[in-house]
Amino acid sequence: MTHLHNDTVPPIGGDTLWASGYAAYEKLSPDFRKIIDGKQAVYRSAHPYLDRSNPSAGPKYVERIHPLVRVHPATGWKALWVNRAMTDRIVGLDKAESDVILNYLYDVFETNVDIQVRFRWTAGTSALWDNRVTIHNASWDYGGKYPRHGTRVTALAEKPYFDVDAPTRREALGLLGDDELTLKGEGEKVEG
């Protein structure tokens, strides 16, 4: 979980947008999901950090390998888990192949406004979100002409994992549309 409290905000702009990883995954066709399910990606920290055991080595980026699609440990639902700032490449693919797929996945998050929420800050407000199933971005539409200051606290989470048998959110909640139910009735497994 992350808690962000903004004590200083610009008079206009500087909103934060969040997008749902559950809903982003459900935007993908069942066949495309099969392509990315189980794939791993290299995630690179947005900023370099000093290694506590060797601080004289200077700041370095931290890289970890995690699934493109993760399962939330509390809900058990699949969520797309990529973001432009930190997902570097898909393991096992050429750079060109990885870039095509990742750019498409970034676009799913960034261009589908029906999976996003936009929060307009006022001084002294706070927001809480679950980093395991959302991505977020601040809107820099105020041009940096005004101060924006806050305090952010993020808890450490478990190592992300993927489970092929985990349902989508829509499956788990029984929210399948008529076309999805028809396909399911014909013996074809439909996810979301």
Side-chain angles (χ1 to χ4, degrees):
M1 297 301 289
T2 292
H3 172 258
L4 176 58
H5 177 82
N6 273 338
D7 51 55
T8 307
V9 296
I12 191 162
D15 300 352
T16 298
L17 292 93
W18 285 271
S20 166
Y22 295 138
Y25 183 74
E26 291 166 350
K27 290 280 185 185
L28 306 173
S29 70
D31 283 348
F32 191 80
R33 292 179 201 161
K34 290 175 188 173
I35 293 170
I36 64 169
D37 281 358
K39 291 278 190 244
Q40 303 277 319
V42 175
Y43 293 80
R44 186 174 189 238
S45 61
H47 309 284
Y49 296 93
L50 284 177
D51 181 346
R52 290 182 187 180
S53 61
N54 188 8
S56 62
K60 295 180 182 170
Y61 288 92
V62 177
E63 289 190 353
R64 298 288 186 262
I65 296 176
H66 296 304
L68 284 175
V69 177
R70 67 173 295 167
V71 173
H72 192 287
T75 64
W77 306 338
K78 291 179 183 173
L80 183 60
W81 202 50
V82 299
N83 69 64
R84 195 176 295 275
M86 298 177 80
T87 311
D88 188 58
R89 65 192 175 278
I90 299 172
V91 175
L93 299 183
D94 301 7
K95 179 173 176 18
E97 295 167 335
S98 176
D99 288 351
V100 166
I101 292 171
L102 287 176
N103 283 320
Y104 172 68
L105 296 175
Y106 302 149
D107 284 349
V108 169
F109 268 121
E110 296 167 3
T111 62
N112 286 287
V113 296
D114 60 325
I115 69 169
Q116 300 173 7
V117 64
R118 185 178 185 124
F119 185 71
R120 186 173 189 296
W121 293 97
T122 56
T125 56
S126 292
L128 290 167
W129 68 91
D130 189 334
N131 281 319
R132 299 172 294 186
V133 291
T134 59
I135 66 166
H136 71 283
N137 191 29
S139 175
W140 298 104
D141 53 353
Y142 60 97
K145 296 177 185 173
Y146 303 97
R148 185 176 190 262
H149 180 266
T151 305
R152 177 179 169 155
V153 178
T154 300
L156 292 176
E158 70 292 325
K159 183 177 178 179
Y161 70 95
F162 175 75
D163 177 357
V164 69
D165 295 321
T168 66
R169 174 191 57 164
R170 290 177 53 80
E171 282 179 322
L173 296 176
L175 299 175
L176 299 178
D178 290 340
D179 57 336
E180 296 162 310
L181 289 172
T182 301
L183 287 173
K184 239 180 156 73
E186 294 173 2
E188 184 177 342
K189 184 175 181 183
V190 174
E191 299 186 24

